[in-house]
Amino acid sequence: MITAERKPLDEILELVGDKKKILVAGCDTCVAICLTGGEKEAEILASELRILAEKDGRAVEVEHTAAIRQCEWEYLDMIADKVAAADVVLSMACGIGIQSLAEKFAPKLVMPAVNTNMLGMPQEHAVWLERCVACGECRIGLTGGICPVVRCSKSLMNGPCGGSHDGLCEVTGPEKEEIECAWALIWERLKAQGREELMFTDRPPKDWSKSSSGGPRKMVREEAKPV
Amino acid sequence: MEGTFEPEIIVFACHYCAYAAADLAGSMRLQYPSNIRMIKLPCTGKLEVIHLLRAIEAGADGVYAAGCLEGECHYLKGNLWARKRVNHVKDLLAEMGIEPERVEMYNMSSAEGAKFAAAATEFTQRIKELGPNPVKREGVSPHAAAREALGGVAMPDEPLASAAAIVEEGHAE
Amino acid sequence: MTATEYKAGSNLEKVLASGAFAVTGECGPPKSADGSVIEAKAKLLKGYVDAVNITDNQTAVVRVCSMASGYVAQQNGVEAIMQMTCRDRNRLAMQADILGASTLGIKNILCLTGDHMSFGNHPQAKGVHDLDAINLIKMYKDMRDEKKFQCGDEMTVAPELYIGCAENPFADPFELRALRLRKKIEAGADFIQTQCIFNIPKFKQWMQEVRALGLHKEVKILAGITPIKGAGMANYMKKFVPGMDVPQEIIDRISGQEKGAPQQAEGKKLAVEMIKELAEVEGVAGVHIMAVEWEVAVPEIVEAAGLLPRPAVA
């Protein structure tokens, strides 16, 4: 699923500027599941903005709402009236939802209240781990179902670098948390599968033109397009 | 300031412990400040971030949750969840430039009337020292706002054993 | 061997091909536009090493680039081994730079993944990692041997390259290390330089695996040596440098001396002893001395190890 984290309040305030009528728009799909931008969180942010305005003696009107999915036109119709009434919309959806909203209601001012950060797997309640970068050329069939592009800090394609120690990466995460060495995991998985030889096959350079390096991607399913 | 400022404090009290402890405090004729207004919950685990914020937004000077002793929640972990949410609200308040001490979590058993009174006294004193919530709205009742935010989660008020009378007299014994 | 049979004909390649025990050094370019630092380090090492590694933004800290520094080193009489990391360049830049380096007369290239950005002074930088080190080795080999760019396009004049890479015998999973070296050799590595060795028994165990695979006959292995300047440095490497295996007895030996000159003397003595021991290991073709910000120690160590004069292999 797509995950996001809320921006710091100061940054949100800066984006809102001196606008008087603010709509906080949550999205009840991915960002709701990751407890960042669903209706509940939209209500919390709206409350915070009202508390701050009151505290600082500013007259603002803050409403909140949520679309079932901000990334689909149909669901945006359902919040159109509230958007129309606002001077600025603070979207708590992922980057896709924010842009859909901005495009649908252009030139309405739509601001991001979250930072979309990854395609993550919920490892346990309230913990997400990055598992995919949508590189457009999946090779995990050769790596025991473990993606080295996203799980190796250097996106190595041909085995562990010299910084792998005790199953851990030499790099630590932003919160100084330990990171598992993807290639140590891959090696163990390949051994368990009896496919060790895959470790030693040459993997040519990746085709990054299939990723965002190739420009914005577009997918069309002709057979599924409406007639 | 102190002396004239009488804070409005909302207490989210668990039906199984703190609410009963309040009743006991009354029976024991213990004094505690009349600044607190209680809302009974089936468990503090039902308390969400927005409920605490709504009370602050409506002008409550302080808000606290009073749940069972840790490890003794009737629903096992409701009070632990409540503590985490209270702590999260502290972070949100700090980010807004409002004293995080305005929200708190207390734990007590139904048999701890004295602890209930002590918590009410300590917290009221703390809020008196902090001064009024910078968010104040004319004609808005924090108690009513918090109740409304809780919706069907809040349980009906029950008259507590003579506590109110004693508090209003102000000097029992 | 005639000149035409060399892959690049660099001094390092010739020394190794002659069967002589090779010595390489290391020079970290300065963190400012001060070419005189490189000149001074090159002059210091001239005559004591067969070639010198020029690091490429080592530990992810910005320095004078390895191509310019390598050129300056060669102008001052020491052959360069230009390091190239996958961290800072995509395949276009890596090919353009190797063509550029080649036109400047640089022949030895060391292909590295590179220390992660988070260790350096620009942790917010975007890591490139378009290719990994094995992809890079293969790309340079194809440029040299097939006259082909990575995309398959042909070139008229191929760069003459002696291609090296690094290997850490102390990293995990240990069972993979020798096998992964084979992968680097298959990709096209001509020589390797190892991570600094302090744990000699473990290094010997790794060499045993390397010999069992016959790899020591396919690639020239230079054993990495870092003279320890003091107990503080030894402790730091043990605790904080990724992939470093510093046994406690080494630290104790250095700590047993007074701080300052006595510890430095012990560090140099230890380095000499280790070089002599490593030279006896079958399959070790030379040493790579990485005297981090202590280049002045190198001539003394090389001399004490009995590795002078360096062979002349015109």
Side-chain angles (χ1 to χ4, degrees):
Chain A
M1 60 178 289
I2 300 169
T3 69
E5 275 186 303
R6 211 187 82 181
K7 285 180 178 289
L9 201 53
D10 285 349
E11 188 182 343
I12 293 173
L13 289 174
E14 204 163 300
L15 290 169
V16 169
D18 58 1
K19 296 289 179 287
K20 296 281 181 278
K21 292 175 107 179
I22 303 165
L23 176 67
V24 181
C27 173
D28 275 335
T29 305
C30 306
V31 289
I33 296 170
C34 72
L35 313 171
T36 297
E39 184 166 14
K40 254 187 184 181
E41 292 77 23
E43 188 181 5
I44 290 170
L45 177 56
S47 176
E48 285 181 79
L49 293 172
R50 282 190 296 266
I51 290 172
L52 266 177
E54 200 68 38
K55 172 174 164 271
D56 302 340
R58 285 178 289 116
V60 296
E61 287 175 42
V62 187
E63 294 280 327
H64 78 276
T65 187
I68 295 169
R69 279 206 282 283
Q70 273 192 34
C71 59
E72 295 201 28
W73 303 131
E74 294 85 339
Y75 293 117
L76 292 177
D77 286 334
M78 295 160 76
I79 62 167
D81 291 347
K82 287 188 172 178
V83 172
D87 297 331
V88 61
V89 182
L90 272 173
S91 170
M92 300 191 83
C94 73
I96 308 166
I98 298 169
Q99 291 184 64
S100 305
L101 192 67
E103 188 171 338
K104 171 95 175 172
F105 301 110
K108 177 70 67 180
L109 209 50
V110 176
M111 295 293 181
V114 303
N115 294 316
T116 305
N117 52 16
M118 60 174 155
L119 302 181
M121 177 193 80
Q123 187 211 27
E124 57 179 285
H125 186 70
V127 177
W128 291 266
L129 298 173
E130 187 169 19
R131 283 293 178 266
C132 182
V133 282
C135 75
E137 191 204 31
C138 189
R139 289 185 178 181
I140 65 176
L142 299 173
T143 53
I146 294 163
C147 174
V149 177
V150 66
R151 295 181 67 181
C152 168
S153 300
K154 299 173 181 175
S155 296
L156 301 184
M157 295 310 299
N158 285 285
C161 74
S164 177
H165 57 99
D166 300 328
L168 297 174
C169 176
E170 66 180 30
V171 177
T172 50
E175 306 294 331
K176 298 289 162 214
E177 72 274 15
E178 286 180 333
I179 297 171
E180 291 175 301
C181 169
W183 279 101
L185 294 174
I186 291 168
W187 175 233
E188 289 305 319
R189 182 76 57 82
L190 290 176
K191 277 197 294 186
Q193 295 175 338
R195 302 198 300 161
E196 292 92 328
E197 74 283 359
L198 280 176
M199 197 76 188
F200 309 109
T201 53
D202 175 51
R203 295 169 208 280
K206 265 187 74 69
D207 180 357
W208 296 110
S209 72
K210 296 189 166 96
S211 79
S212 57
S213 291
R217 290 167 274 180
K218 181 176 184 177
M219 182 175 85
V220 180
R221 294 284 297 274
E222 281 302 338
E223 79 285 6
K225 284 184 94 175
V227 285
Chain B
M1 190 70 197
E2 203 179 324
T4 57
F5 168 52
E6 287 300 335
E8 277 188 272
I9 292 166
I10 305 298
V11 183
F12 295 102
C14 165
H15 153 76
Y16 286 97
C17 51
Y19 209 81
D23 202 27
L24 181 61
S27 307
M28 293 165 73
R29 305 178 71 77
L30 297 171
Q31 283 190 58
Y32 59 88
S34 61
N35 304 73
I36 64 163
R37 295 213 51 197
M38 303 231 283
I39 296 175
K40 184 159 75 162
L41 299 175
C43 172
T44 51
K46 290 296 282 182
L47 195 59
E48 295 193 26
V49 169
I50 190 67
H51 303 141
L52 296 154
L53 282 180
R54 287 282 191 193
I56 297 285
E57 189 185 335
D61 299 298
V63 183
Y64 68 89
C68 300
L69 294 172
E70 294 194 355
E72 291 179 16
C73 171
H74 188 76
Y75 300 101
L76 306 178
K77 291 182 178 173
N79 52 352
L80 304 181
W81 282 111
R83 179 171 292 280
K84 291 190 81 142
R85 289 169 189 157
V86 166
N87 287 340
H88 182 58
V89 173
K90 282 176 180 280
D91 292 343
L92 296 180
L93 291 180
E95 206 184 8
M96 288 185 265
I98 295 175
E99 303 88 345
E101 298 82 5
R102 290 188 188 277
V103 295
E104 201 47 83
M105 175 80 202
Y106 290 97
N107 300 88
M108 62 196 67
S109 79
S110 59
E112 294 179 307
K115 199 162 171 184
F116 178 86
T121 306
E122 185 269 340
F123 191 78
T124 304
Q125 186 55 34
R126 177 200 294 193
I127 300 300
K128 280 186 175 177
E129 283 166 20
L130 285 176
N133 178 354
V135 181
K136 277 289 174 196
R137 287 187 180 166
E138 281 300 312
V140 177
S141 156
H143 186 259
R147 261 204 166 283
E148 190 195 332
L150 281 159
V153 171
M155 296 166 79
D157 292 328
E158 284 167 29
L160 292 170
S162 59
I166 295 164
V167 170
E168 275 159 24
E169 282 166 23
H171 43 80
E173 306 286 88
Chain C
M1 193 177 268
T2 64
T4 50
E5 289 173 57
Y6 290 121
K7 286 170 174 163
S10 70
N11 185 59
L12 177 64
E13 182 183 9
K14 287 176 183 171
V15 169
L16 285 165
S18 76
F21 193 75
V23 178
T24 55
E26 190 154 305
C27 160
K31 292 181 250 185
S32 75
D34 185 358
S36 69
V37 173
I38 306 156
E39 271 184 49
K41 288 185 178 182
K43 283 174 180 162
L44 191 67
L45 295 173
K46 185 181 175 183
Y48 294 97
V49 297
D50 303 313
V52 63
N53 284 39
I54 309 292
T55 57
D56 179 18
N57 288 344
Q58 66 184 96
T59 63
V61 171
V62 178
R63 292 160 185 274
V64 175
C65 75
S66 58
M67 193 196 314
S69 303
Y71 178 75
V72 173
Q74 297 203 153
Q75 292 297 100
N76 286 277
V78 183
E79 186 174 274
I81 301 169
M82 177 178 157
Q83 296 193 179
M84 173 82 74
T85 69
C86 298
R87 177 195 59 224
D88 303 339
R89 300 174 186 79
N90 68 8
R91 64 191 80 180
L92 276 81
M94 290 196 285
Q95 292 177 99
D97 281 2
I98 207 64
L99 293 179
S102 192
T103 61
L104 291 174
I106 293 171
K107 296 185 173 194
N108 306 309
I109 181 83
L110 193 80
C111 301
L112 303 168
T113 305
D115 293 318
H116 194 264
M117 300 71 69
S118 60
F119 294 110
N121 62 353
H122 291 75
Q124 293 172 331
K126 180 175 182 180
V128 180
H129 301 121
D130 177 16
L131 308 184
D132 64 21
I134 289 179
N135 296 152
L136 176 58
I137 294 166
K138 175 81 164 59
M139 181 170 79
Y140 283 169
K141 180 179 191 287
D142 288 346
M143 289 176 82
R144 180 190 69 195
D145 296 347
E146 313 293 329
K147 289 192 179 181
K148 278 187 178 162
F149 289 102
Q150 194 270 330
C151 61
D153 286 357
E154 296 197 357
M155 68 188 87
T156 51
V157 179
E160 294 177 333
L161 300 173
Y162 192 52
I163 304 170
C165 62
E167 184 54 56
N168 183 0
F170 308 104
D172 292 319
F174 184 71
E175 58 185 338
L176 262 186
R177 299 327 299 195
L179 292 164
R180 189 158 183 264
L181 175 59
R182 184 174 68 190
K183 204 168 172 180
K184 288 179 172 174
I185 296 166
E186 284 167 0
D190 301 312
F191 71 99
I192 70 150
Q193 293 172 322
T194 76
Q195 172 72 287
C196 342
I197 300 160
F198 295 107
N199 186 341
I200 289 189
K202 192 161 183 187
F203 174 75
K204 286 182 174 171
Q205 190 190 338
W206 177 75
M207 279 303 297
Q208 205 167 2
E209 293 184 23
V210 167
R211 287 193 302 270
L213 293 168
L215 303 180
H216 62 305
K217 292 181 178 152
E218 296 175 46
V219 74
K220 300 295 183 187
I221 298 171
L222 305 187
I225 288 283
T226 287
I228 299 174
K229 208 172 176 180
M233 173 189 175
N235 277 311
Y236 179 84
M237 286 193 297
K238 184 181 176 73
K239 282 186 195 146
F240 299 113
V241 180
M244 200 76 89
D245 181 350
V246 189
Q248 189 58 41
E249 57 263 34
I250 298 265
I251 294 173
D252 293 344
R253 180 169 161 185
I254 304 294
S255 316
Q257 302 293 323
E258 292 282 315
K259 270 193 183 172
Q263 284 194 355
Q264 292 189 12
E266 194 64 21
K268 284 186 267 193
K269 197 169 154 222
L270 177 68
V272 171
E273 288 170 22
M274 287 173 75
I275 291 171
K276 286 181 173 170
E277 187 171 356
L278 291 169
E280 297 301 314
V281 178
E282 186 191 348
V284 172
V287 282
H288 174 51
I289 306 172
M290 291 163 273
V292 185
E293 295 304 318
W294 199 25
E295 288 87 351
V296 289
V298 174
E300 199 183 319
I301 291 168
V302 175
E303 182 164 19
L307 297 171
L308 292 183
R310 299 309 309 145
V313 284

